[in-house]
Structures are given as structure tokens and as C-alpha cells.
Amino acid sequence: MKKLINEPSAVVDEMLDGMVSAHPDELRRLADTNVLVRNDAPVSDKVAVVSGGGSGHEPTHAGYLGPGMLDGAAAGEVFTSPTADEISEMIQACDSGKGVLNVVKNYEGDVMNFETAGELAEMESDVEVAEVVVNDDVAVEDSLYTSGRRGVCGTILVHKVAGAMADRGEELDEVKRVAEKVIDNVATMGTALTSCVTPEKGEPTFDLAEDEIELGIGIHGEPGVERVEMMSADEITERLTEKVFDDLSPSSGAEVLTIVNGMGGTPLSELYVVNRKLQSMMEERDFMTWDAWVGDYMTSLDMQGCSVTVLVLDDELKELLAHPAATPALTVQ
Amino acid sequence: MKKLINEPSAVVDEMLDGMVSAHPDELRRLADTNVLVRNDAPVSDKVAVVSGGGSGHEPTHAGYLGPGMLDGAAAGEVFTSPTADEISEMIQACDSGKGVLNVVKNYEGDVMNFETAGELAEMESDVEVAEVVVNDDVAVEDSLYTSGRRGVCGTILVHKVAGAMADRGEELDEVKRVAEKVIDNVATMGTALTSCVTPEKGEPTFDLAEDEIELGIGIHGEPGVERVEMMSADEITERLTEKVFDDLSPSSGAEVLTIVNGMGGTPLSELYVVNRKLQSMMEERDFMTWDAWVGDYMTSLDMQGCSVTVLVLDDELKELLAHPAATPALTVQ
Amino acid sequence: MGTTEQEAVRAAVERVADRMADEKEYLTDLDSAIGDADHGANMNRGFRAVHEKVSEMDDAPPDELVKTVGITLVSEVGGAAGPLYGGSFMTASAELGDGITAESSVAFAEVFLEKVKDRGDAPVGAKTMVDAITPAVHTYKKSIEEDDLKPVEALTKAVDACERGVNFTTPIRATKGRASYLGWRSVGHQDPGATSTLFIVKSIRETAVE
Amino acid sequence: MGTTEQEAVRAAVERVADRMADEKEYLTDLDSAIGDADHGANMNRGFRAVHEKVSEMDDAPPDELVKTVGITLVSEVGGAAGPLYGGSFMTASAELGDGITAESSVAFAEVFLEKVKDRGDAPVGAKTMVDAITPAVHTYKKSIEEDDLKPVEALTKAVDACERGVNFTTPIRATKGRASYLGWRSVGHQDPGATSTLFIVKSIRETAVE
Ligand SMILES: Nc1ncnc2c1ncn2[C@@H]1O[C@H](COP(=O)(O)OP(=O)(O)O)[C@@H](O)[C@H]1O
Ligand SMILES: Nc1ncnc2c1ncn2[C@@H]1O[C@H](COP(=O)(O)OP(=O)(O)O)[C@@H](O)[C@H]1O
Ligand SMILES: [Mg+2]
Ligand SMILES: [Mg+2]
Ligand SMILES: [Mg+2]
Ligand SMILES: [Mg+2]
């Protein structure tokens, strides 16, 4: 394993410092924590929208800090959720008195730590905390026999929409309502061509032969739900998108936002090849692409692969998606 | 090799289609060519700034099409410069009567094809064509015994500055003047931790052992100027940045823009680790970072590694860098 | 330096910390197969911090020490294991307020198990640490209360029980934790969290034997 | 279907195209070592297109055919090789206006060489195709003009000369083209462009022999 790092155990710390030094006017780090917040937090008279989770998904989470999106982002170790005490500090640092919405990706570690953090924060101050749990990954069956669907790339859209609603000055329950609307209407499915290599382990998390890929992966280097033979980009796109459509079953003529998300190690050129097929599938089925995002939004370190996300829109969501945002990783004008 | 592609020979064509379908309102493709232009080209009463080169450097070049940056981008095959006839079509499609500036990266293939194209264009219409050649790569000695320094990541800054000047309505010679000012004040040095894999060859261009890296690479998967033992991120950053400083020798207190550019396969987290060290070197030497960019701007497919770019600023350059730009890969508000 | 009970807690902590350092890669390998390859790093980071904290607490009573173990794990481990282990040590520590006796250790064990199940909402058979903690706690309680064994002997039985719990996780399908995402592909792999539980129980027994 | 001269040009083109297809990987491997691993793909793409274009041109005189070879290479190959080979075929084709004779072929060869040197600004010894073209052209000219050899014999000598030029590129340092970026590390590697020149000259000779 070769990585542009110093000590593996220092990666998160040094990355956060490097991020702040790239955006000194926009971001700051809470002392002695792995929490970054908007420099102007708490923003007065505004509901705060915060998130967090393991590191290794950059630009998620701190890349989405800024006007129109997140107020705070708590970073855990690589692929490990942040600890409850730091999440609690973040909540308190971002609260302007109007309450805080935690955007949590469904996975037990994050959920448990955010819950504990909410309790801590409410004990220590009188902040009002609400929470939404994103579970857009359609690879995993949502049944009694699993811990539910994972939260993956669709989370970015929750940040965007909830952040816009908060930016408009709306109340906590309204911000939560639109976040849940996104959660109800978004679905994602991903594939890995290669495993990622974590700094600590220094080796691939799983082995994939030259002619194999994993379908239905999460974002933590876990293997997916199925190992299949390597296919063409068009075939892969079909497999991913069909599953997403099955879940959402948008009606003909529906307006949607699509994301082709890179897992970190895949060149942008390949993501555009996938987008080409995705958009031709949209046309065939008579869905209207209102906006198409292509890039690295929610990654797994250096993994090669991608995910396809579809969000079914209504007028309110379109308005909120078009609301200005100015963050290191996403700008909407 | 596993890639999200269909036929290796179709990658460029399909990528361009996928790009247009992601930005249908902003970009269009000139029929039967690999040229993308701003949808509203030719923009009346404005000097056009165009560029191009081999593919495999995404988001370069077409990612920088849009108000405040490029009017046209000609894509060659992967790592192969575009052909003169297509460059010539681009020039003619973008000219509003105020002339066209070709931004060429120094490398004989590009230079020869752009020269031929300029001649063709001037033969076929009365477009006025000017050209600047970017050669920011300080890895290669500029001497009688080489074909000169390569044009690499600093090219983005030429696009930005020349594009802003054109957007202001200035004349061709003025647009060219500021482009040359950037070229005179920018330097870059890069490193590869791994080789890239081209779709056609399907294997690494060069072999690197687990404990070796290449210093002084270009952006075409060529080996660098030196193979050294793997080092820490801080050491690598020092090696790259020292060389850049040596070349520019900015005076103490100088204001600069820095770029930590990913080569395509390196996670953003690692680039931030590099930026941390870079910014602490800037402080030590008493240079003022006016802006720090971190991300994938000029890539080599899936190569892991990075480059460090420094541009020494004056008031005019700062103004032009701050001028609004709205392109798929870079937004300045 | 302090009572035997304080010493015992500190010794156990040191033993666990050493064990986690030794088994870091093994735990991470187990987590690679059905999780995200960090359980070894998580547990090692957590108990290294616990060891440091606890070494500095010269005069604290055993329940304070154990509470600190919990608080430190919560704020150092993260992930699923952090709140599960940490929260349970924190809550269960209250049972040791009057010292470590046969009875109080049983109470501690019971509350610990309860708290894990509460937080994680995992039943037995979900292929988690619950499958290792449950037999260990049940056997310990029964050995003390019904069989009148001494704590050391009961711990020996508990280790054996815990080991069976760990082995039991291998052939079953995960329905909780990251491994559940794998569905049937999780069958055939040993659960990392159950395994780290075994290392903890073993370390406690070894300390008690001394 | 056309004159012998037209046939000869078409046959040569087909032979070159076949050769480039066969040697695609070899050329790319050479370019991997000191360039960017695309020379095989470039030449193959270019001559496949040339072959198609030329096959469709039923009645064109030889100079038109050769000009088309050049234009097609310019618009299909890109890179350094595109304008160098393409531009030179285009310009030199004018020398064949009165048909392909011993004299006109010498003139063609001379203009071809001149044009490559002009465009690329590379002297002999810069480790480029110039090192292969120069000996081939010099030897061809001398064989015809001084030694009064027949074109086929002169071509055989030219192939031999060209081969020496190719071999000469290996032990020298590149000062032009991508390989120059490698500095001394380019020593010991054969130049891909010189090698593709040899394939072209060989194919022309083989066509002439038939
Ligand atoms: N809901 C749960 N209830 C009980 N134990 C759980 C639960 N979820 C996960 N675990 C345990 O946690 C272990 C994984 O811990 P760790 O790898 O540190 O955290 P993460 O899964 O967040 O990466 C699993 O092997 C399992 O034993
Ligand atoms: N300035 C030059 N003059 C003559 N030949 C050159 C020059 N630059 C490059 N070449 C030739 O072109 C060959 C490379 O061609 P190719 O790989 O197709 O283009 P690129 O270098 O653009 O990838 C080199 O091996 C060399 O023979
Ligand atoms: Mg984890
Ligand atoms: Mg090339
Ligand atoms: Mg884990
Ligand atoms: Mg080449």
C-alpha cells in the first residue's frame, strides 16, 4: 500500500487540518475534537443542520459545510462513527437556539452514537435536537432479518434540501419534514470494481479477481450483496439503475435528479460513460432528468466503482435543490 | 484491468456524450467531432478562449467550459492530442469576430496540431488566432537538450485568468498578455505512487514496486524524472514544493495561489494531508496563501499521486482569479 | 498503592489492553471478511486509552475505575463497539459501588448484558457480541448462584461458555451489525465483536487466577 | 481497376495497415517505456482509416492517393505522429504528380524527410523517427542516383539503413518528443516512432518486390 499519508493513525487529524487550511475563512475546527463547523456557527436565528460519520468518504462530510448546507460535521476515524461526546459538542456549538437536525446515515454505530450524543447535548444545554436517518441503499433488503438499508450517497441530497430549508429561516419541524421527504423519495445502488485500502490495514479489505466485481456495496469497504462477473459499463449501469427504479417505481413523466457518484478511485471519464447510459435509460422510460450530477460525492477512500442515485422530485424539492449553496464540494448559484 | 467502460476505443466518444447529457443546457458537441463548446458559442463581442489536448485528464478540458473560462475544448484520444482539423473547427465555431486564443500545453504533439489548426482556420475564414504555450512543469529541465518543460496543472489557471479577461470584453492581445503573465509566474511538480492504466493498453504504463514512487511525472502516464523510495506525505510535499519554490523564487511576503492536484485515483483525504504540509511550508517561508485549491483538476486517468502548483500573484491576477466563473468543474462566485 | 480490588481492576485493564494490541490484526481480519476492517484498530485504540486513563487514577474506588473504562471507550472507540462496550461498562459499574464480591460481579454481568441488548437491539443469534456475552453471563451467574463455585472457577466456566458463543457465530447468518448487509454471505465467518468479548473475558479470568 | 501505380499504392497501404495492426502492441510497449503507451493505437487507428479511405478511391491518380494518406493521418492520428507522418505524406505527395518513377520517388523521399524535420524541429540523434527516416532516405537516394540500382534494390538497401537507424535510437538519450522528459533514463530504449517508420519502409519494399 502506498498512500500520501504520514502515520496511519494521524490521517484524520491531518486531513482535517489540511481542510481548514484550504478554507480558513469558511471552516474552523472545534478545539480538541474532530469536528469542523462553519466559521460563523452558530448562525443566528437559523436551525442548524449537522451530520457526521466515519472518515474515508471525502468530500463527505465536511466538504458540505457552508451556507445552504451543513453547519457542523463530526468526523470519526476511517469508517468508524464519531464518538458521542464529540457529536454532542458539535450540536451545542452549532445551535443558535432554534434547534438542530442530525442527519444520520443508517448504520447501528452512527445511530447509537448520535442518539447518545443527542441525550448528552440535551442534558448539558437546552438545545432541541431532531434526527433523521437516511437509508437509501436499495442493495440491502429492508426486512426483519437485517439492520435495515444503509445510508449512502442519497445523504448528500438530504444535506442539500434540509440545509436550504434551514437557510430560509424555517423551523426545526419543517426542516425535518423536507429531509424526510428526500429520504422517502431517494434510492441508491453501488458497485465496486476494486476494494479500498484503509490506512490502518494497508491491504484491500476484500479480494476481487480480475474478472469479478461486487454489486450492492456500502461505503465502508464492506463486500457487496453479490459477486458477479465483470460486465461492460452499460450492463453495470443497467443492473444498478433497474434496482433503483424497482424501489422507487417513479411514474412515467416523473422529474428526477440523478447522481453518478464515484467511489474515489474511478476517473471522471468513466463516470461520464455511466451517465451516458443512465440518461438514455431515463429517456427510454420517459422520466425527465431535471438535473444530473456526476462526480465524487460520497466515496470509499480509493475504491474503484460507482453508485447510481435517483431522487424523485416535486416542486418543493426542486426549489430547495435550486436554493443557493456555497460549500467546498458543492456550489449552487 | 477493470474499468467502467464499454469498448476501449469508444471511451472518448461515450464520455463526451455523457458529459453533454449531464450539462445539456451548458455544453454542446460539434457534430462529428470530439469538440465540446459552450452552448451559446460563439459569444458575441467576446474573445474566445479555447483549449484541448489528449483525453484522460478529466475534468480537463471540457470541465472548464463556461462563462468566465473556456469557450471550446477539443478532446483527442486518451493521451493523444486532438487532430488539427477538429481544432480548426472548434476555433471557427467559437470565434465571434473578436479572435481566438489557443491555450496549448507544451508538448510537441499538441503544439504541432494546434499550429496546423490555426493555419487551417485562418485559411478557411478570417479568424484571428493567437496562441500561448503553457510550460509549468519544473521537473523537466528547460535546456537545449530537451523539448522544454511540459504543460500540466498550471494550465487551469491560464484558462481561468484568460477566460476572465475575455469575459470582461478585452481585446485578444490583452487576453493573451494576462495568459502569458500566468505562464511566467506558475510552476508545478508532480509525483506518482502508481502508474495509470489506459483503456487501450489495459495494463500499467510503468511498473512501480510497493516501496517506490516516481517524482517529476507528467500527466500522460510517462515515468517521471526520478524513481525514489516511498516517503511520507510530508517528505513528498517537501520534495515537490522545494522544487517549485526554487523555480519561482517568490520574494518573502509574496501572495500566491496554491493547488494540490490529485492525479485521479487518490482520495481527497490524502490531498488534504498534503495541503496541510504545503500550507505550513508557506507560513515558514513567509509567503501568503491568497487561495488554496485542493482537488482533481488535471488528472492522469486512475493514477495515484498528486502535483503541487504555485502561482505568484499581483493585483491584476487576483482580480481575474476572483472574477466569476461557472463551469462544471470550477465555480467562482 | 491502593486496595487489592483497585489493583485487580488495573491489572485486568492492562491485560485486556495488551491482548487487544496483540490481537489487533486478527480482529481486523475477521472484520474485513464481513465488516469494514476496523474492529482491531477500534478496540486497540480504546483500551490503550483506557489503560492510560486508569493508570493515572491512583485513589479511585473500583466502581469509579470501571466507569472510567466505559466513558473512555465511549469517547475513544466510536463505531458500533464504542457505545456498546462503553455504555455497558459505564452503566454496569454502579453495581460495584460496595466493592467486587461474588454477588456484585454477577449483578455487574447481568446489567452489562442487558445494556448491550438494549443499545444494540440485537437478540441472541444475530451474530454479534451478544452471542458471546449471553452464554458467558448466564454461565457465570449459574456457577456462582446455583453451583456455589468460587468466582475464579465460575470465570473459567464463563470463558468456556463464551468460546462456544464465539464459535456459534460462525455458522449463522448475521441479522444485526454491518455483517447483516451481506445476507447469506455472512455465514461461515466468525463475528469480530464476539471475539473481542472473548478476549476481555479471558483477560479478566487470567487476572483473577493470579 | 486502375493503373499498376494506383494498385501499388493501394497494396502498400494495405500492407502497412496490416503491419500496424500486427505490431500495435509491440509499438505501444515501446511507447510505454519512454512515452505514453499509445503509439501502437495511434498508428493502427490511422492506417485503418487510411486503408478504408484509399480503398474507396477508385480512379484517383497516385499523388492524390498519397495525399489522402496524409490528410487522413492528420485527421485520425493526433499526437506527435499525426502531424509528422500526415503532414509529410501530404506535402511530399506533390512530387508524384507525374507518376511514380525512380526520380520522383527520390524527390518524394527527400521532401518527406525535410518536412518531418521542419515540423518536429528534431535533428538526427534526438532519438526520434528522424533517426530512421534519414538513413533510409539518404541510402535510397544514393543507391538510385550514384549506384544506379533499381528501385526495388534501392528499397532493400533503404530497409537495411532504416533498421540501423532504429537500432541507433536505443543507446542514445532523447532530446525531442516525450522521451526527452525522461532525460538519461531514456537511454537503452528503442524509439517507437523510428520503429513504425521501419514498418512502413519494409511494407513499401515488400510491395515493390511483388
Ligand atoms: N446492533 C448490535 N448489537 C450488538 N452488537 C453489535 C451490533 N452491531 C454491531 N455489533 C458488534 O460490533 C462489532 C463490530 O464492531 P466495530 O467493527 O468496532 O464497529 P463497526 O461495525 O461500526 O465498524 C460486530 O462484530 C458485532 O459483534
Ligand atoms: N519533435 C519530433 N520530431 C520528430 N519525431 C518526433 C518528435 N516528437 C515525437 N516524435 C516521434 O513520435 C513518436 C511518438 O509518437 P506518438 O506516441 O504517436 O505520439 P505522442 O508522443 O504524442 O504520444 C516518437 O517515438 C518519436 O519518434
Ligand atoms: Mg467501523
Ligand atoms: Mg500520446
Ligand atoms: Mg468494523
Ligand atoms: Mg505516444
Side-chain angles (χ1 to χ4, degrees):
Chain A
M1 172 209 54
K2 280 178 286 186
K3 288 182 176 292
L4 290 167
I5 61 175
N6 298 300
E7 283 308 301
S9 58
V11 171
V12 173
D13 178 52
E14 297 185 353
M15 157 188 94
L16 294 172
D17 277 352
M19 215 167 161
V20 171
S21 66
H23 306 282
D25 299 335
E26 292 87 8
L27 310 181
R28 72 186 149 89
R29 183 167 176 177
L30 297 187
D32 299 321
T33 71
N34 288 341
V35 175
L36 300 192
V37 299
R38 282 174 62 165
N39 217 344
D40 54 357
V43 181
S44 59
D45 212 30
K46 187 185 91 67
V47 169
V49 180
V50 303
S51 189
S55 293
H57 310 302
E58 291 67 29
T60 298
H61 304 79
Y64 300 106
L65 285 171
M69 283 187 89
L70 295 180
D71 295 88
E77 293 300 313
V78 171
F79 297 163
T80 301
S81 54
T83 57
D85 55 335
E86 299 207 347
I87 299 172
S88 165
E89 274 200 58
M90 164 176 75
I91 290 171
Q92 292 172 65
C94 293
D95 181 41
S96 73
K98 254 193 131 165
V100 177
L101 180 72
N102 290 343
V103 179
V104 185
K105 291 189 291 309
N106 190 33
Y107 131 66
E108 288 150 316
D110 281 335
V111 171
M112 290 188 282
N113 284 291
F114 265 92
E115 258 168 26
T116 312
E119 288 164 20
L120 285 176
E122 284 174 337
M123 265 161 54
E124 289 166 20
S125 64
D126 58 355
V127 50
E128 191 186 350
V129 180
E131 178 174 293
V132 293
V133 178
V134 190
N135 63 347
D136 55 320
D137 183 4
V138 296
V140 173
E141 288 167 75
D142 195 9
S143 78
L144 272 181
Y145 306 107
T146 68
S147 48
R149 290 161 40 158
R150 292 170 287 212
V152 290
C153 187
T155 311
I156 307 309
L157 298 170
V158 179
H159 296 167
K160 176 72 192 72
V161 165
M165 199 71 173
D167 199 50
R168 280 192 185 171
E170 303 282 350
E171 300 301 320
L172 184 55
D173 55 349
E174 274 292 277
V175 175
K176 184 177 176 186
R177 179 182 62 77
V178 292
E180 281 175 341
K181 193 192 262 188
V182 174
I183 294 171
D184 290 343
N185 288 289
V186 70
T188 298
M189 171 104 172
T191 185
L193 308 194
T194 62
S195 168
C196 56
V197 175
T198 65
E200 284 279 357
K201 186 164 155 81
E203 281 166 36
T205 305
F206 53 86
D207 289 314
L208 268 179
E210 256 309 299
D211 57 351
E212 289 173 340
I213 61 174
E214 288 273 336
L215 288 181
I217 51 150
I219 52 173
H220 299 89
E222 322 91 304
V225 295
E226 195 185 352
R227 184 166 290 200
V228 298
E229 261 182 40
M230 180 62 192
M231 295 177 276
S232 71
D234 284 357
E235 287 163 328
I236 290 173
T237 309
E238 260 173 22
R239 285 290 290 263
L240 300 181
T241 310
E242 295 286 4
K243 189 101 186 170
V244 167
F245 285 159
D246 281 354
D247 181 76
L248 292 172
S249 42
S251 46
S252 158
E255 280 188 290
V256 302
L257 180 149
T258 61
I259 306 180
V260 176
N261 171 58
M263 301 310 295
T266 286
L268 191 51
S269 47
E270 298 179 27
L271 302 182
Y272 281 121
V273 170
V274 171
N275 186 57
R276 170 182 164 276
K277 176 67 184 175
L278 172 61
Q279 299 310 329
S280 84
M281 290 179 70
M282 303 305 292
E283 266 177 43
E284 272 164 32
R285 273 148 230 248
D286 221 24
F287 305 141
M288 313 278 291
T289 299
W290 176 78
D291 205 359
W293 296 7
V294 180
D296 283 9
Y297 297 96
M298 175 71 80
T299 62
S300 291
L301 296 170
D302 57 347
M303 179 180 276
Q304 297 200 326
C306 72
S307 61
V308 169
T309 298
V310 174
L311 170 65
V312 181
L313 301 169
D314 65 9
D315 287 343
E316 181 178 46
L317 290 179
K318 283 195 287 182
E319 243 178 64
L320 292 166
L321 287 164
H323 186 89
T327 75
L330 187 76
T331 312
V332 176
Q333 289 179 303
Chain B
M1 171 210 53
K2 282 177 285 186
K3 288 182 176 293
L4 288 167
I5 60 174
N6 298 302
E7 280 308 300
S9 59
V11 171
V12 173
D13 177 53
E14 296 185 352
M15 158 188 92
L16 294 172
D17 277 349
M19 214 166 163
V20 171
S21 65
H23 306 282
D25 298 335
E26 292 87 7
L27 312 179
R28 72 186 149 89
R29 185 167 177 176
L30 297 186
D32 298 322
T33 72
N34 288 341
V35 174
L36 300 193
V37 300
R38 282 175 60 165
N39 216 344
D40 53 357
V43 181
S44 61
D45 211 30
K46 187 184 91 68
V47 169
V49 180
V50 302
S51 189
S55 294
H57 310 303
E58 292 66 31
T60 297
H61 304 80
Y64 300 107
L65 286 171
M69 284 186 86
L70 297 179
D71 297 87
E77 292 301 314
V78 171
F79 297 164
T80 301
S81 55
T83 57
D85 54 336
E86 298 206 349
I87 300 172
S88 165
E89 274 200 58
M90 164 175 74
I91 291 171
Q92 292 172 66
C94 294
D95 181 42
S96 72
K98 253 193 133 166
V100 178
L101 180 71
N102 289 341
V103 179
V104 184
K105 290 188 292 310
N106 190 33
Y107 131 65
E108 288 151 315
D110 281 335
V111 172
M112 289 188 283
N113 283 292
F114 265 92
E115 260 168 27
T116 313
E119 289 164 20
L120 285 176
E122 284 174 336
M123 266 160 53
E124 289 167 20
S125 63
D126 57 355
V127 50
E128 192 186 349
V129 179
E131 176 172 293
V132 293
V133 178
V134 190
N135 60 349
D136 56 319
D137 182 5
V138 296
V140 173
E141 288 168 74
D142 194 9
S143 79
L144 272 180
Y145 305 107
T146 69
S147 49
R149 291 163 40 158
R150 293 170 286 211
V152 288
C153 186
T155 311
I156 307 308
L157 298 169
V158 179
H159 296 168
K160 177 71 191 73
V161 165
M165 199 70 174
D167 198 50
R168 280 191 186 171
E170 303 282 348
E171 298 301 319
L172 183 56
D173 54 350
E174 275 291 279
V175 175
K176 183 176 178 187
R177 179 183 62 76
V178 294
E180 281 174 341
K181 193 193 265 190
V182 174
I183 294 170
D184 290 342
N185 289 288
V186 70
T188 298
M189 170 103 171
T191 186
L193 309 194
T194 62
S195 167
C196 56
V197 175
T198 63
E200 284 278 359
K201 187 164 154 77
E203 280 167 37
T205 305
F206 52 85
D207 288 314
L208 267 177
E210 255 310 298
D211 58 350
E212 290 174 339
I213 61 174
E214 288 274 335
L215 288 181
I217 51 147
I219 51 173
H220 299 89
E222 322 89 305
V225 295
E226 196 185 348
R227 182 167 291 201
V228 298
E229 261 181 39
M230 180 61 193
M231 295 178 276
S232 71
D234 284 358
E235 287 164 328
I236 290 173
T237 309
E238 260 173 21
R239 288 287 294 264
L240 300 181
T241 311
E242 294 287 4
K243 191 100 190 174
V244 167
F245 285 159
D246 282 357
D247 181 78
L248 293 172
S249 41
S251 47
S252 156
E255 282 189 287
V256 303
L257 180 150
T258 61
I259 307 182
V260 176
N261 171 58
M263 302 308 296
T266 286
L268 190 52
S269 47
E270 298 180 26
L271 302 181
Y272 281 122
V273 170
V274 170
N275 185 57
R276 170 181 164 277
K277 177 68 183 174
L278 173 61
Q279 298 310 328
S280 84
M281 290 179 71
M282 304 305 291
E283 267 178 39
E284 271 163 32
R285 273 147 229 248
D286 222 24
F287 305 141
M288 313 278 290
T289 300
W290 177 78
D291 205 359
W293 296 6
V294 180
D296 283 9
Y297 297 95
M298 175 72 82
T299 62
S300 289
L301 294 171
D302 56 348
M303 178 179 278
Q304 296 199 327
C306 71
S307 62
V308 169
T309 297
V310 174
L311 170 66
V312 181
L313 301 170
D314 64 8
D315 288 341
E316 182 179 45
L317 290 180
K318 283 195 287 181
E319 242 177 67
L320 292 166
L321 286 164
H323 186 90
T327 75
L330 187 76
T331 314
V332 175
Q333 291 177 301
Chain C
M1 290 190 27
T3 67
T4 355
E5 284 184 2
Q6 288 168 346
E7 283 312 308
V9 173
R10 272 201 281 267
V13 161
E14 187 173 348
R15 216 179 260 277
V16 176
D18 286 351
R19 190 73 188 243
M20 292 303 168
D22 291 347
E23 305 286 1
K24 187 179 141 184
E25 285 187 18
Y26 174 57
L27 289 174
T28 289
D29 283 348
L30 292 177
D31 200 26
S32 298
I34 53 173
D36 60 348
D38 63 357
H39 191 59
N42 289 347
M43 295 304 288
N44 181 46
R45 185 176 62 248
F47 274 96
R48 209 171 48 216
V50 165
H51 179 45
E52 265 174 40
K53 273 273 165 57
V54 164
S55 323
E56 290 162 6
M57 295 173 66
D58 258 6
D59 268 337
D63 62 329
E64 279 280 308
L65 288 175
V66 175
K67 190 168 174 190
T68 304
V69 171
I71 292 173
T72 311
L73 290 177
V74 165
S75 67
E76 288 294 331
V77 176
L84 287 170
Y85 278 128
S88 305
F89 273 113
M90 256 169 77
T91 309
S93 68
E95 305 301 322
L96 305 178
D98 297 327
I100 306 183
T101 61
E103 285 97 52
S104 75
S105 65
V106 170
F108 174 90
E110 284 189 298
V111 172
F112 191 98
L113 170 59
E114 217 167 275
K115 189 73 196 171
V116 169
K117 292 182 76 166
D118 231 49
R119 249 305 138 71
D121 194 29
V124 169
K127 197 180 184 104
T128 71
M129 57 175 70
V130 169
D131 299 348
I133 301 171
T134 305
V137 171
H138 286 188
T139 297
Y140 185 68
K141 183 181 160 84
K142 194 244 179 190
S143 301
I144 301 266
E145 294 187 354
E146 309 281 323
D147 303 342
D148 286 330
L149 296 188
K150 277 187 267 167
V152 183
E153 293 162 351
L155 274 168
T156 307
K157 299 262 178 205
V159 165
D160 190 50
C162 191
E163 200 145 15
R164 290 187 201 201
V166 172
N167 291 335
F168 170 68
T169 64
T170 304
I172 61 176
R173 173 175 169 175
T175 54
K176 281 283 172 179
R178 274 189 207 294
S180 71
Y181 304 137
L182 285 174
W184 293 107
R185 290 175 77 186
S186 63
V187 172
H189 297 280
Q190 181 174 317
D191 179 59
T195 310
S196 62
T197 296
L198 178 61
F199 292 143
I200 295 173
V201 178
K202 275 189 171 168
S203 301
I204 295 173
R205 183 191 149 271
E206 285 163 16
T207 317
V209 168
E210 278 184 356
Chain D
M1 292 178 26
T3 68
T4 353
E5 284 184 3
Q6 290 168 341
E7 282 311 309
V9 172
R10 272 202 281 267
V13 162
E14 185 172 352
R15 217 178 258 277
V16 175
D18 286 350
R19 190 72 188 241
M20 294 303 169
D22 291 347
E23 305 285 1
K24 187 180 144 186
E25 285 188 18
Y26 174 59
L27 290 173
T28 289
D29 283 347
L30 292 176
D31 200 25
S32 298
I34 53 172
D36 60 348
D38 63 358
H39 191 58
N42 289 346
M43 295 304 287
N44 182 46
R45 185 177 59 248
F47 274 97
R48 208 173 46 216
V50 165
H51 180 44
E52 264 173 41
K53 273 272 164 57
V54 165
S55 322
E56 289 162 7
M57 295 174 66
D58 257 7
D59 267 336
D63 62 330
E64 279 280 312
L65 287 176
V66 174
K67 189 168 174 192
T68 303
V69 170
I71 292 173
T72 310
L73 290 177
V74 164
S75 66
E76 288 294 330
V77 176
L84 288 169
Y85 279 128
S88 305
F89 274 113
M90 254 170 78
T91 310
S93 67
E95 304 301 321
L96 304 179
D98 296 329
I100 306 182
T101 62
E103 286 98 52
S104 75
S105 64
V106 169
F108 174 89
E110 284 190 298
V111 172
F112 190 98
L113 170 60
E114 218 168 90
K115 188 74 195 170
V116 169
K117 294 182 78 166
D118 232 50
R119 251 302 140 72
D121 193 31
V124 168
K127 197 180 183 103
T128 70
M129 59 175 69
V130 170
D131 299 350
I133 301 171
T134 306
V137 170
H138 287 188
T139 298
Y140 185 70
K141 181 180 161 83
K142 193 241 177 194
S143 301
I144 299 267
E145 294 187 354
E146 309 283 321
D147 303 341
D148 286 332
L149 296 187
K150 276 187 269 168
V152 183
E153 294 161 350
L155 272 169
T156 306
K157 300 261 176 204
V159 165
D160 190 48
C162 190
E163 198 144 16
R164 291 186 200 204
V166 171
N167 292 334
F168 169 68
T169 64
T170 304
I172 62 175
R173 173 175 168 174
T175 54
K176 281 281 172 180
R178 273 187 209 292
S180 71
Y181 303 138
L182 285 175
W184 292 107
R185 291 176 77 187
S186 63
V187 172
H189 297 278
Q190 179 173 319
D191 180 59
T195 310
S196 62
T197 297
L198 178 60
F199 292 143
I200 295 172
V201 178
K202 274 190 170 169
S203 301
I204 294 174
R205 183 192 149 268
E206 285 163 16
T207 316
V209 167
E210 278 183 356

